Amino acid sequence: MSLTARDLGLFAIMGAVLAMVAMFQSPQLAVTILNMSLISAIMALGVNMQWGYAGLFNVGIMGFTAVGGLAVVLIAQPPVPEAWAAGGLGVLLGLMLGVATILAAVIVYKKMTPGKLRGLAIFGVLLVGYLVTAKIFGPAKQAVQAVNPASEGYLGGAGLPVIMAWPVGAVFAAGIAWVIGKISLGLRSDYLAIATLGISEIVIAVLKHERWLARGVNNVTGIDRPVPRPVDLQPVPWVQSLADTLGWSLSQTASVISGLGYSALFLIVLAMLIWLAERALNSPWGRMMRAIRDNEVSARAMGKDVTRRHLMIFVLGSGVCGLAGAMMVSMDGQLTPGSYEPLRFTFLVWVMVIVGGSGNNWGSVLGAFVIWFLWVQVEPAGRWFMDLATSGMAADSDLRQHLLGSAAYMRLLTMGVALLLMLRFAPRGLIPER
Amino acid sequence: MEPLNALISLSNFMLIPALAYGSQLALGALGITLIFSILRFAHFAHGDTMALGTAAVIGGTLFLQAQGVSIDPLPTALLAIPIGIVVMVLYLLAADRLVYKYFRKVKAKPLTFVMASLGVMFVTNGITRLFMGVGETRFEDGQRFLFTVREFRDFTGMAEGMALRSAQAITIITALIVMVVLFWFLNRTRAGKSMRAYSDNEDLALLSGINPERVVVITWTITAILLVLAGTLYGLDKGFRPFNYFQLLLPMFAAAILGGLGSPIGAIVGAYVVAFAELGITYAWRRVFSYLMPEGLEPTSMMQLLPVDYKFAVTFAILVIVLLFRPTGIFKGKVI
């Protein structure tokens, strides 16, 4: 199952389009689109594993990417010793008590016979656990947040190399996915959708609210980068000579080179993932997954544990989304919980998977490139269109100003129309499953 | 008088807002449950369609205000609701013709419908923002309070005050009327009965001469009415911001699942449970307990179980508990 000439042609067209962006708009823009497309491609791969291989409907991609992003802060940022001294242990103890409370409630539920007594016991355990946890956690949290709040006010990270955060981000996301999957897999298919929708909102709420963790809405900025920053590249002699040969400004050359450094890293990760995914899909395991997707009942009759397989693929796919989230944060060099929006991070990835071709890994990659390109370019195109459409009106007319101002929302409309057209006329996507 | 003061404080800050919020959720969840039981898919565009309906009502309100029409002390928006309903009926029927009808014809899987509703969600979202932007719009006019805290205190002589906003009162009353009418419609009229029959068993309904396309049209029409009412009442109560409507999706679905997907009475009960749980758990109980506890034992902390930012977590926790212990919901779902 390799690429056909037609698929290669589609990728070539996409490459040519990006090259045109570099020529006619700006090389920086082309590199930015390329990098974000690569990250989106990894997200789409993760979703494609869940949807294309197994038919699982995950609408919590935003939450998994955000958790991956959190891992970058926790791994790469230097620790804040004053904050640890002020309340680090209390916070950790509080978290452990919280987990212990839930575990205790689960044990009570499993050990006791059903009845009123059990209900009361569980309630009692939860209440006592909550009060004790709140007593220890609350003050410790306040103490941590009071440490130098303008620039710190959080526990900081482990101060490790930022690349290490990528696998850790994947593990974080996979852990959350395991809990969600345990609860909602094996029930109706739409329940997983609602459950993932919920958990992603909660993850964002936690990131925004728990300032001791990653500064909440105050954002963590200036995170270590895996490739040199443009500013550091500018004094390098070969960069300067390259700028002269190309006839570009020095800052432009430096930022393009820095961006291409990320592209190289992302390409390596993407290539590894695709290789693994393709191998898996064409192995007996992949055939089993597709058999389960296409007919759960007969797969079950063949002795396959459908729920367990679903859980496995759900955890794997979410882990890949977490990896992409970590990569994105380390590219931006900052974690901004306020910027996570479900339309952008969950539903747009879905459009990528559907447009690209669900069930086909290469399709997801192509879909990510096409849709991200549209997402970036539709806004200026919309503004241009609105400008044209309203050119008959007076320049200071309210309606004209309003329409020009809302051109930004054209992209949502375009995405919706693209998704609907694909579903209707080419439900198998640009590169169909074969 | 201490317990009475506690009750007044509780009503003012929790019971009345929760009742209003629950009514808004109930109208939304009813729409979700209807679509689920007739068209058999989870309608993800619900929140955004609600936003578009409200936008239409706001447009109507502005137009009426410009014409000098007013029904003071009631908000003008109530007069504009029919405009919104007409717009949304046309919009949803157009969406059905252009999008869902084809998938029904080819008997697509339920998740394909859900995908299609994601597409409709994007489009609706874009249209709403084209007209309204992303900021907050307030369109409540007329008399804002039935009675204010001060009036209540002067009238009763109690230490605690209580206010009733007209938006809240209108919400609760409208929701009650709508629910009664809806149940009368489903149980007593021919169209309602054909809907229930279709939801119960599609093939049998076809055999008995029920026209499925007609059932679908009626379903979308009812959904449009519920949507516009829910959206407008929510907007009157809390202001209109498109993103908030999208976020209503989770509590509305939680309500519908909690009550049992496909069961209208379940959707209503579920909505109130979600609303009271959300507000109850994020409410600071200190004031109430300071009246109830004996002297010297007054609470010192806020007595708030979770910060308000976590109201989604409450909804979600309810959802998880239901999924774990009673996946069919309180009222066994599926049939209306």
Side-chain angles (χ1 to χ4, degrees):
Chain A
M1 189 163 88
S2 55
L3 289 164
T4 63
R6 180 177 161 275
D7 306 340
L8 286 176
L10 287 173
F11 273 105
I13 294 175
M14 194 62 232
V17 169
L18 278 180
M20 277 165 68
V21 171
M23 272 162 61
F24 296 113
Q25 286 180 295
S26 83
Q28 279 129 308
L29 181 64
V31 173
T32 324
I33 295 180
L34 173 69
N35 282 346
M36 206 53 218
S37 297
L38 287 169
I39 290 178
S40 307
I42 293 175
M43 289 183 198
L45 266 184
V47 176
N48 184 41
M49 285 179 191
Q50 298 172 341
W51 171 247
Y53 296 13
L56 299 178
F57 190 44
N58 168 9
V59 278
I61 306 162
M62 171 180 76
F64 298 118
T65 49
V67 166
L70 174 66
V72 178
V73 172
L74 296 188
I75 293 292
Q77 281 300 92
V80 182
E82 298 93 328
W84 275 100
L89 286 180
V91 166
L92 283 189
L93 190 64
L95 287 181
M96 278 192 263
L97 278 171
V99 175
T101 307
I102 294 173
L103 284 182
V106 171
I107 290 173
V108 170
Y109 176 76
K110 289 219 164 121
K111 290 276 155 130
M112 286 178 73
T113 45
K116 268 202 183 125
L117 201 62
R118 182 173 77 171
L120 275 177
I122 292 179
F123 182 74
V125 167
L126 287 177
L127 188 70
V128 172
Y130 173 80
L131 290 177
V132 175
T133 309
K135 195 89 196 155
I136 293 180
F137 186 71
K141 178 175 120 176
Q142 298 298 341
V144 169
Q145 286 171 184
V147 176
N148 195 2
S151 61
E152 284 159 347
Y154 74 125
L155 288 175
L160 295 169
V162 66
I163 289 280
M164 283 180 63
W166 295 5
V168 174
V171 172
F172 277 16
I176 291 189
W178 186 81
V179 176
I180 294 297
K182 251 328 205 195
I183 295 169
S184 51
L185 285 170
L187 297 169
R188 285 187 47 96
S189 56
D190 342 30
Y191 284 3
L192 179 71
I194 311 292
T196 44
L197 188 72
I199 197 76
S200 68
E201 291 290 344
I202 291 176
V203 167
I204 301 301
V206 169
L207 280 187
K208 278 185 181 165
H209 189 78
E210 300 299 320
R211 278 183 291 137
W212 57 270
L213 185 63
R215 305 199 68 222
V217 283
N218 297 336
N219 304 340
V220 179
T221 51
I223 301 175
D224 220 9
R225 290 161 190 248
V227 299
R229 288 179 304 156
V231 187
D232 303 329
L233 279 174
Q234 284 188 18
V236 181
W238 65 267
V239 176
Q240 288 173 345
S241 67
L242 187 69
D244 286 340
T245 353
L246 289 171
W248 293 351
S249 74
L250 189 56
S251 65
Q252 189 183 18
T253 320
S255 76
V256 167
I257 291 176
S258 173
L260 284 177
Y262 279 113
S263 313
L265 280 178
F266 294 166
L267 261 178
I268 294 171
V269 176
L270 181 63
M272 266 166 36
L273 281 176
I274 284 233
W275 183 73
L276 286 173
E278 284 286 295
R279 294 281 300 219
L281 194 59
N282 295 315
S283 67
W285 179 84
R287 282 195 294 278
M288 174 185 67
M289 291 312 303
R290 276 174 290 161
I292 292 177
R293 177 194 66 188
D294 292 338
N295 194 334
E296 269 183 40
V297 178
S298 54
R300 213 178 292 249
M302 300 291 286
K304 306 295 177 202
D305 188 341
V306 174
T307 312
R308 274 188 73 117
R309 293 304 128 228
H310 275 172
L311 182 61
M312 185 178 175
I313 197 82
F314 183 64
V315 168
L316 279 176
S318 303
V320 172
C321 291
L323 175 70
M327 289 161 62
M328 193 183 72
V329 167
S330 67
M331 180 175 76
D332 296 341
Q334 55 182 1
L335 178 70
T336 49
S339 68
Y340 285 92
E341 273 185 44
L343 279 174
R344 155 75 185 82
F345 281 93
T346 296
F347 296 108
L348 195 65
V349 180
W350 268 105
V351 179
M352 290 167 181
V353 174
I354 301 292
V355 168
S358 47
N360 190 316
N361 294 320
W362 292 106
S364 307
V365 175
L366 182 67
F369 272 84
V370 171
I371 294 300
W372 185 254
F373 177 79
L374 282 179
W375 182 257
V376 175
Q377 299 286 4
V378 158
E379 194 179 334
R383 189 160 297 128
W384 175 82
F385 175 77
M386 283 292 183
D387 211 29
L388 199 71
T390 58
S391 54
M393 299 181 201
D396 54 348
S397 126
D398 276 351
L399 183 63
R400 178 164 191 201
Q401 291 304 324
H402 179 82
L403 284 175
L404 282 177
S406 18
Y409 311 117
M410 287 288 282
R411 45 161 68 155
L412 294 169
L413 212 74
T414 319
M415 291 306 132
V417 172
L419 177 63
L420 289 174
L421 288 178
M422 283 311 277
L423 275 177
R424 172 72 173 77
F425 296 107
R428 284 156 60 74
L430 289 173
I431 306 184
E433 183 186 0
R434 34 182 102 80
Chain B
M1 296 314 263
E2 294 295 281
L4 208 53
N5 268 325
L7 183 68
I8 294 170
S9 172
L10 188 68
S11 309
N12 189 28
F13 292 106
M14 196 200 124
L15 296 181
I16 295 177
L19 208 57
Y21 178 50
S23 309
Q24 293 145 7
L25 281 185
L27 295 180
L30 274 173
I32 284 182
T33 250
L34 276 182
I35 296 182
F36 186 84
S37 55
I38 308 280
L39 301 158
R40 296 168 213 285
F41 69 94
H43 187 225
F44 269 78
H46 212 74
D48 281 301
T49 335
M50 241 163 92
L52 184 61
T54 316
V57 171
I58 294 177
T61 311
L62 293 178
F63 173 75
L64 287 175
Q65 281 169 345
Q67 304 293 311
V69 182
S70 146
I71 43 170
D72 197 65
L74 293 172
T76 320
L78 291 186
L79 217 54
I81 283 181
I83 305 175
I85 289 179
V86 171
V87 172
M88 286 324 283
V89 169
L90 294 177
Y91 183 81
L92 284 176
L93 287 179
D96 187 68
R97 271 296 115 82
L98 293 173
V99 181
Y100 302 118
K101 194 173 182 189
Y102 167 78
F103 296 114
R104 269 203 305 281
K105 206 179 78 197
V106 299
K107 295 219 180 319
K109 285 190 204 151
L111 278 178
T112 313
F113 282 94
V114 177
M115 291 289 163
S117 80
L118 285 188
V120 174
M121 179 186 93
F122 263 107
V123 173
T124 316
N125 201 300
I127 297 177
T128 313
R129 281 163 173 72
L130 272 180
F131 284 114
M132 308 293 299
V134 285
E136 183 169 317
T137 316
R138 287 219 159 248
F139 58 102
E140 188 187 6
D141 57 1
Q143 194 187 335
R144 292 208 53 199
F145 287 94
L146 282 191
F147 53 84
T148 60
V149 173
R150 181 183 299 245
E151 282 166 1
F152 181 85
R153 257 194 302 226
D154 290 348
F155 183 72
T156 58
M158 304 294 275
E160 274 297 323
M162 180 165 95
L164 184 62
R165 308 222 336 260
S166 20
Q168 294 168 331
I170 293 171
T171 299
I172 297 167
I173 294 168
T174 317
L176 262 178
I177 298 173
V178 170
M179 288 169 201
V180 170
V181 172
L182 183 68
F183 279 101
W184 169 80
F185 175 83
L186 286 176
N187 290 321
R188 295 297 151 118
T189 62
R190 222 182 143 75
K193 283 179 186 168
S194 67
M195 275 172 73
R196 283 167 53 218
Y198 184 79
S199 140
D200 198 7
N201 188 327
E202 218 175 311
D203 297 329
L204 222 53
L206 272 174
L207 280 176
S208 349
I210 289 169
N211 178 1
E213 285 308 308
R214 200 169 151 256
V215 171
V216 169
V217 169
I218 297 174
T219 310
W220 283 119
T221 312
I222 297 177
T223 309
I225 296 172
L226 291 170
L227 272 173
V228 172
L229 284 172
T232 310
L233 294 174
Y234 185 83
L236 279 176
D237 191 6
K238 302 195 172 69
F240 174 80
R241 243 189 101 215
F243 188 64
N244 288 354
Y245 281 76
F246 169 81
Q247 286 195 317
L248 277 182
L249 206 55
L250 185 64
M252 285 192 302
F253 265 109
I257 291 180
L258 173 63
L261 260 179
S263 150
I265 185 84
I268 294 169
V269 173
Y272 285 110
V273 172
V274 169
F276 276 92
E278 253 187 37
L279 269 81
I281 291 180
T282 54
Y283 173 63
W285 290 85
R286 178 183 183 172
R287 195 78 166 264
V288 174
F289 276 95
S290 67
Y291 283 113
L292 290 180
M293 301 299 261
E295 200 103 350
L297 271 178
E298 283 98 352
T300 46
S301 69
M302 293 294 283
M303 303 216 36
Q304 187 182 21
L305 287 173
L306 277 178
V308 184
D309 309 56
Y310 287 139
K311 59 177 202 242
F312 289 116
V314 178
T315 318
F316 185 72
I318 297 174
L319 198 67
V320 166
I321 293 168
V322 179
L323 291 181
L324 281 177
F325 297 106
R326 205 181 161 90
T328 48
I330 303 173
F331 299 86
K332 286 248 160 78
K334 196 67 209 89
V335 187
I336 58 169

